[in-house]
Amino acid sequence: MSTFATGFLKQARVMTADLRHRKIIRTALTNYEIVRDKRKGAFQSWESARSAAAETKWEAVNHLDKYLVEFVSKLEARGTKLHWASTGAQASEIILEIVREKNARSVIKSKSMTSEEVHLNDALEKAGLEVVESDLGEFIMQLRDEPPYHIVFPSMHLTRGEIKELFERELGDAPSDSPEELTMVARRALRKKYLTADIGFTGANFAIAETGMISITENEGNARLTAALPKTMVSLLGIEKVLPRLEDLALFLPMLATAGTGQALTCYNTMYGGPRQPGECDGPEEFHVILLDNRRTELLADAEQRDALHCIRCGACLNACPIFRNIGGHTYATTYSGPIGSVITPHLRGLQDWKHLSAASSLCGGCTEVCPVKIDLHHHLLHNRRNAAKEKPALIERSLYLIFGFVANRPALWSLGKKLGRLSQPLHNLVKGSALDPARSWTQTRDLPPLAQESFKDWWKKRNR
Amino acid sequence: MTITLFIPCFIDALFPRAGISMVQLLEGLGHKVVCPPEISCCGQPPFNSGYWDEARPVAAKVLEQLKDAEAVVIGSGSCGAMVKKFYPELFAGKPQEAMAKKVAARTWEFSDFIVTKLGVTDFGAKFPHKITFHDGCHGLRELGIKKSPRALLAKVQGLQLVEMAEAETCCGFGGTFAAKFPMISTAMGDVKCASAAETGAEYIVSNDSSCLMHLQGLLSRQGKPLKTIHLAEVLTQK
Amino acid sequence: MKNEETVLSEREKILARVREALSVPAHVPGAHGLAPLAASAQSSAAGVRQWLPKVGNSFAEQLGLFQKNATELKTDFQLFDSAEEMRQALVRLRDAEGWKRVACHSGDLTNAICPPLNLPMLRTDKAYDVHEMEACDAGISECDALVAQTGSVLVTSRSAGGRALSVLPPHHVVIARREQLVADLPAAFALVKTKYAPDFPSMISFITGPSRTGDIERILVLGAHGPKRLTILVF
Ligand code: SF4
């Protein structure tokens, strides 16, 4: 078992026993589900919209080279500087070079999971820069020195009381535990940062090939400010973010909002097509866009799971996932958690190290059902299991299945097995739930039904004699 | 017609009454029921664990037994999904591919077969209890079965169905998952049982015995009064 | 900066990996478990309108929908019969909130409506000092369109006084004409294209209600970083 798997099991044990956590997440998500369903209901056909979104993303991802080239040339034509990074380290290095060239001291960031993926904050801080997360949830998590708990709701596992304490401790400013007042504390703290930061850093939700624009979806206005005030703007995005046409956003923006937060449209949806253009009064003088691979092309090469690159990071699959809801976001120990994280992390960071995430699923399909771009999530978990077992079978498990198969295909042996099981049942009662119990992982928390004295097959045989 | 009834291994060994009820219900409608004697298991445990090469011989044997069936009826959404949805994938590019597709096309989950294929909903059953229904995930999402079991329950005299908030949430069984990640499986089961209990029901009814085995195991261990029962058994109560 | 050669080579390397990966065709959506097909997707944009939330056909219905959405979003939406009424409303806003200084850009509408405010005014027609804007009580701008379907205001860096005016001051006031109302998002994007292509403004933004967050216990708070208030005045 990989060390990641061991850590996962350990943390899962802690979190599944944490009933307070379970309740917080459940409350937060119940409200989300109510508004999301209302918004879905407002669509004339949510299902057709899903199909259209899946087809559009399919088109983009399956002609990625063409659309990337178009995207890049359109952006460059209007003065944007394009960079390509094969790895996370390269992406960080490109940003550090921009920092050095600009003699920058501080960076204000809007929410970007891709920057989490490449550990950008670490790299920038090591280089002596002040890095400030401006999204409220990310700001809270940065103060706690923890990664985001959820790709859309970074601090959803915290109560207002915990946030009040945090602000008191870290900012010396927390008049009360009202969400309103706490938000205003963050607003005050961050205002100055926007005005003084040398570099504004953002992620992107979509990259429009046709017009050469990135599109950023947010609610707080922090990305708008980040892209308006600092002299240099840097955006990092995965190569899979492309959409062919500008008007595709007419579908994707409301779908992202509906699936992500249960809004008809988030508060700000903004397309940036370059640095300040001639005749414009503000905006950055320089705009850098970094396209990141970081093993996305490996996922792309897996035709079976290529649709995982359709992901628009709405978080809906996390919200629907009963595993996520019970173990929480941090247990995954990955940038992308929940079903989509379990699908892609083995591709991005190694199958053998991360296959446990694909195993840790009941394959219920709740994720696939809610995914706005129809990624075949739960089947891909199964595909990951198959690939992992094929590449490096677990000897004991495989032997068990071989024996199982051998017995299953010999009806006499199979029924003998049942008989033996029946006979040994009284013995099992002696050790049930204890360390000696071979079925301990079941019997620790659950009773095992007794094997029937007369099985269905016995009954059938007797009856048809 | 002649119905080939596939009784899943855990029903055979642990819950034979559910299987016997299915035979009685189908025969009661005037159909001939056959149960292939050589079928042990659909092969899900190795398949779901990723051991497809190890699952294939087991599944091939099942296919062999089902290949000439007019209609295959499976007493579980989970095994039903295995045969109907996953066999074609398991045998893709293999010699049995065509056979797998043919069998899949003729395979039905038990409740859906009765309602959709046979057009029957009323067995004249009486079950004067308050119940809640658990949608097994494979039946619900792989096979899209939601209405059929409810149509059958609606005709049971005295039965009151109260839907739980988490009706469509996974119970946490998930086959080998329940043994590999017992803490997650148990937590999910607890959520499910709590939601079922909230309805004030006496029984959790389902068309999937494996889910019920997991839920009953939790309820019994915790000394909860809530009981579980398979849909087919409800339909034979008079 | 990196020299041109390495930049190019990273680009070529990634594109080469992409092309290599795509040499194996993927299933079309929804074809799980079936043989791969090389069919390309249908254009979705053409049909999008029929699946998105419904918008009435008549102007009155669309205006009503915009109003309803605005209320839900906690946008202050006010409709007037004349420019004069709007001027008075703006003055009332000034008095009610005690504005001392506002930011604004020049345009046909703003020029016609703002003068009676009689306040020191930061103009964003040319480069300006952001600290001065930060000290303003309100930002007043025009817009490109109002979107009935979502209750959004469409602004661009060219139509609405740059990037910051609509988001830095604590109160954003939008001045618009009835004719600027469009039905839905597809219409809004079509408008952006006809109005600007190929020379698009560097920023195009749909503003849907005042700034908000739910990051603390998923409870809605207005004015997270952008304006706490959004007022849309239409005549
Ligand atoms: S996989 Fe689908 S549901 Fe999950 S985050 Fe991505 S787009 Fe959303």
Side-chain angles (χ1 to χ4, degrees):
Chain A
M1 205 184 291
S2 75
T3 50
F4 300 107
T6 319
F8 176 84
L9 281 171
K10 194 164 150 237
Q11 193 58 23
R13 226 165 272 136
V14 174
M15 294 311 291
T16 48
D18 185 344
L19 299 184
R20 178 178 166 271
H21 168 266
R22 191 187 293 176
K23 189 158 166 249
I24 291 173
I25 300 307
R26 195 184 151 89
T27 311
L29 290 177
T30 305
N31 295 338
Y32 154 84
E33 281 168 358
I34 293 168
V35 285
R36 178 203 60 192
D37 289 346
K38 186 178 145 206
R39 292 304 172 196
K40 274 189 187 173
F43 274 68
Q44 291 172 81
S45 173
W46 174 254
E47 283 311 310
S48 303
R50 284 179 78 208
S51 298
E55 283 177 17
T56 305
K57 264 296 189 183
W58 189 93
E59 161 72 21
V61 167
N62 283 281
H63 304 90
L64 194 55
D65 50 339
K66 174 181 120 188
Y67 289 119
L68 277 175
V69 168
E70 188 182 0
F71 171 70
V72 163
S73 61
K74 286 280 161 56
L75 263 176
E76 279 174 337
R78 301 185 352 110
T80 303
K81 300 195 170 153
L82 258 298
H83 310 263
W84 299 71
S86 286
T87 65
Q90 278 180 8
S92 290
E93 188 45 41
I94 290 166
I95 297 168
L96 283 172
E97 281 182 42
I98 298 169
V99 162
R100 284 194 283 269
E101 196 199 12
K102 297 286 150 205
N103 239 328
R105 286 156 197 273
S106 59
V107 177
I108 185 118
K109 281 181 71 197
S110 72
K111 191 167 165 29
S112 156
M113 288 310 292
T114 315
S115 76
E116 294 287 333
E117 179 188 331
V118 307
H119 308 296
L120 179 61
N121 290 12
D122 285 352
L124 292 174
E125 276 163 8
K126 238 179 246 149
L129 271 96
E130 186 198 24
V131 184
V132 183
E133 293 285 351
S134 60
D135 171 86
L136 177 58
E138 295 285 350
F139 177 68
I140 291 168
M141 296 313 282
Q142 189 185 27
L143 288 181
R144 282 174 66 95
D145 201 15
E146 273 177 29
Y149 175 93
H150 180 290
I151 58 175
V152 175
F153 312 133
S155 58
M156 74 181 296
H157 62 310
L158 300 175
T159 61
R160 59 182 87 182
E162 288 167 302
I163 295 168
K164 171 178 188 276
E165 269 169 39
L166 177 73
F167 280 11
E168 234 158 33
R169 196 170 62 235
E170 300 292 329
L171 306 170
D173 186 4
S176 79
D177 69 356
S178 102
E180 165 90 33
E181 289 197 55
L182 291 170
T183 302
M184 291 312 129
V185 171
R187 181 182 170 111
R188 282 194 296 274
L190 285 166
R191 271 277 144 157
K192 304 164 213 151
K193 307 287 183 187
Y194 292 112
L195 297 173
T196 54
D198 302 306
I199 292 180
F201 175 90
T202 79
N205 298 86
F206 304 103
I208 309 302
E210 178 192 28
T211 54
M213 294 172 186
I214 63 166
S215 175
I216 301 179
T217 289
E218 52 146 351
N219 267 311
E220 297 180 0
N222 60 313
R224 283 281 312 268
L225 289 167
T226 302
L229 304 179
K231 277 208 166 112
T232 305
M233 174 173 170
V234 180
S235 302
L236 173 67
L237 45 143
I239 50 173
E240 83 285 10
K241 294 277 184 223
V242 284
L243 284 178
R245 294 155 304 225
L246 184 62
E247 55 265 33
D248 291 330
L249 290 174
L251 179 67
F252 278 88
L253 298 179
M255 288 193 79
L256 174 57
T258 299
T261 54
Q263 291 172 278
L265 208 57
T266 55
C267 196
Y268 299 99
N269 285 283
T270 311
M271 291 108 249
Y272 296 98
R276 177 191 305 193
Q277 297 295 300
E280 293 183 352
C281 63
D282 59 5
E285 289 159 9
E286 266 184 34
F287 181 32
H288 296 262
V289 168
I290 303 161
L291 286 166
L292 177 71
D293 179 352
N294 212 20
R295 297 179 73 165
R296 281 164 176 75
T297 41
E298 299 214 0
L299 185 49
L300 191 72
D302 183 342
E304 188 176 42
Q305 296 193 43
R306 187 174 294 159
D307 66 343
L309 289 169
H310 296 182
C311 177
I312 57 173
R313 304 277 187 262
C314 70
C317 58
L318 282 64
N319 303 339
C321 179
I323 317 287
F324 180 91
R325 293 165 80 124
N326 281 297
I327 67 174
H330 285 147
T331 303
Y332 292 81
T334 55
T335 305
Y336 308 103
S337 62
I340 184 65
S342 300
V343 168
I344 65 175
T345 306
H347 295 269
L348 303 181
R349 295 175 67 181
L351 179 58
Q352 295 305 329
D353 275 349
W354 295 95
K355 63 182 178 186
H356 59 281
L357 296 182
S358 297
S361 164
S362 59
L363 303 178
C364 76
C367 47
T368 307
E369 186 178 61
V370 296
C371 177
V373 287
K374 287 192 158 181
I375 299 171
D376 204 0
L377 288 161
H378 71 297
H379 293 138
H380 292 335
L381 295 176
L382 188 58
H383 298 143
N384 278 340
R385 293 182 190 183
R386 178 200 61 203
N387 297 345
K390 188 139 201 146
E391 183 182 287
K392 199 169 160 222
L395 278 185
I396 297 179
E397 197 177 358
R398 179 162 180 268
S399 315
L400 281 175
Y401 290 131
L402 285 172
I403 297 168
F404 166 86
F406 185 83
V407 175
N409 279 358
R410 285 161 186 77
L413 267 185
W414 182 262
S415 67
L416 179 70
K418 275 191 294 185
K419 243 172 244 146
L420 286 177
R422 208 146 49 214
L423 290 174
S424 63
Q425 215 152 246
L427 292 175
H428 183 230
N429 284 340
L430 296 176
V431 296
K432 195 146 81 182
S434 78
L436 292 174
D437 185 354
R440 186 164 186 265
S441 60
W442 181 275
T443 51
Q444 241 187 344
T445 55
R446 293 160 283 208
D447 282 354
L448 207 54
L451 285 161
Q453 283 309 317
E454 184 186 56
S455 74
F456 173 85
K457 282 200 176 132
D458 297 339
W459 173 82
W460 180 259
K461 239 187 256 159
K462 220 162 62 189
R463 181 170 170 266
N464 292 293
R465 210 176 279 150
Chain B
M1 78 176 89
T2 303
I3 295 164
T4 304
L5 184 63
F6 178 158
I7 293 298
C9 52
F10 47 87
I11 290 191
D12 171 49
L14 301 167
F15 310 105
R17 289 200 44 79
I20 294 168
S21 300
M22 291 176 207
V23 173
Q24 290 168 347
L25 292 168
L26 293 171
E27 288 182 344
L29 294 171
H31 298 286
K32 179 170 160 42
V33 175
V34 295
C35 291
E38 303 235 315
I39 290 185
S40 323
C41 169
C42 64
Q44 266 198 90
F47 178 77
N48 279 352
S49 303
Y51 291 82
W52 289 23
D53 290 340
E54 291 71 15
R56 226 171 264 119
V58 181
K61 174 108 181 175
V62 174
L63 274 183
E64 196 55 45
Q65 301 269 306
L66 299 178
K67 67 172 193 284
D68 300 318
E70 189 183 348
V72 178
V73 172
I74 303 191
S76 144
S78 186
C79 310
M82 181 68 190
V83 175
K84 201 166 172 58
K85 192 139 178 192
F86 295 112
Y87 274 15
E89 187 171 353
L90 180 62
F91 289 106
K94 301 279 183 274
Q96 299 96 326
E97 185 173 0
M99 202 203 291
K101 283 186 180 156
K102 188 183 117 188
V103 170
R106 294 177 186 182
T107 294
W108 296 81
E109 180 274 333
F110 171 74
S111 68
D112 198 39
F113 177 76
I114 292 181
V115 175
T116 309
K117 175 78 178 172
L118 301 182
V120 175
T121 49
D122 196 346
F123 286 93
K126 268 203 201 85
F127 195 64
H129 298 282
K130 197 170 179 182
I131 66 123
T132 190
F133 191 81
H134 162 63
D135 292 287
C137 299
H138 273 111
L140 178 70
R141 298 199 183 84
E142 301 294 353
L143 303 177
I145 296 166
K146 170 95 185 172
K147 290 194 181 127
S148 295
R150 286 171 176 76
L152 291 164
L153 288 170
K155 293 288 167 64
V156 176
Q157 286 176 44
L159 181 143
Q160 185 196 354
L161 169 64
V162 189
E163 296 283 1
M164 60 180 133
E166 307 269 0
E168 295 190 359
T169 306
C170 177
C171 70
F173 174 62
T176 51
F177 165 75
K180 287 183 181 171
F181 300 91
M183 61 307 221
I184 308 178
S185 169
T186 298
M188 289 162 71
D190 283 342
V191 169
K192 189 86 197 188
C193 290
S195 181
E198 263 171 35
T199 64
E202 298 159 71
Y203 290 91
I204 305 177
V205 180
S206 179
N207 46 352
D208 231 316
S209 292
S210 48
C211 306
L212 293 182
M213 171 173 75
H214 167 66
L215 294 174
Q216 186 66 64
L218 285 167
L219 293 166
S220 304
R221 177 61 57 86
Q222 295 168 8
K224 299 266 169 64
L226 199 57
K227 295 181 283 280
T228 61
I229 183 168
H230 193 280
L231 174 66
E233 286 179 70
V234 173
L235 299 177
T236 49
Q237 307 276 330
K238 296 284 161 167
Chain C
M1 299 298 295
K2 273 191 182 171
N3 66 47
E4 203 63 10
E5 207 173 296
T6 36
V7 175
L8 263 182
S9 79
E10 222 44 55
R11 169 191 160 125
E12 288 321 314
K13 271 188 226 162
I14 292 176
L15 285 174
R17 283 200 295 271
V18 168
R19 287 179 185 127
E20 165 72 26
L22 291 177
S23 62
V24 182
H27 303 290
V28 289
H32 167 75
L34 303 175
L37 292 167
S40 81
Q42 295 298 307
S43 153
S44 66
V48 161
R49 183 167 277 140
Q50 57 185 321
W51 304 316
L52 292 177
K54 215 178 183 93
V55 182
N57 284 328
S58 74
F59 180 78
E61 279 173 293
Q62 292 175 7
L63 191 65
L65 181 60
F66 187 86
Q67 200 148 18
K68 181 174 152 273
N69 282 328
T71 311
E72 250 182 65
L73 290 163
K74 304 195 177 357
T75 300
D76 181 9
F77 175 67
Q78 303 181 28
L79 192 62
F80 307 100
D81 289 330
S82 68
E84 183 46 36
E85 277 183 26
M86 193 194 272
R87 274 191 282 273
Q88 289 165 11
L90 196 60
V91 169
R92 281 197 301 276
L93 266 182
R94 173 200 70 189
D95 296 343
E97 295 201 345
W99 293 348
K100 304 248 162 11
R101 185 176 172 82
V102 295
C104 187
H105 65 97
S106 299
D108 291 349
L109 274 179
T110 46
N111 290 349
I113 304 295
C114 293
L117 276 180
N118 224 347
L119 285 175
M121 208 169 273
L122 173 76
R123 294 273 175 186
T124 64
D125 305 326
K126 296 193 296 279
Y128 59 90
D129 178 355
V130 283
H131 292 91
E132 276 184 44
M133 185 187 281
E134 218 273 320
C136 288
D137 299 304
I140 304 172
S141 81
E142 298 179 0
C143 69
D144 292 82
L146 304 173
V147 187
Q149 188 170 49
T150 53
S152 310
V153 185
L154 171 63
V155 299
T156 62
S157 43
R158 221 171 287 161
S159 70
R163 293 190 184 194
L165 178 62
S166 52
V167 78
L168 188 59
H171 189 165
H172 178 208
V173 181
V174 178
I175 299 176
R177 289 178 190 277
R178 275 181 167 75
E179 305 85 79
Q180 289 183 287
L181 184 72
V182 299
D184 53 14
L185 288 169
F189 279 104
L191 180 140
V192 167
K193 273 192 173 169
T194 31
K195 187 166 172 186
Y196 296 113
D199 179 28
F200 292 100
S202 71
M203 181 208 77
I204 301 165
S205 189
F206 290 87
I207 301 175
T208 312
S211 156
R212 62 196 56 212
T213 185
D215 275 347
I216 301 175
E217 292 190 6
R218 312 279 339 114
I219 291 167
L220 176 70
V221 177
L222 297 184
H225 294 289
K228 226 178 158 54
R229 293 196 60 187
L230 173 64
T231 301
I232 302 177
L233 307 177
V234 175
F235 80 98

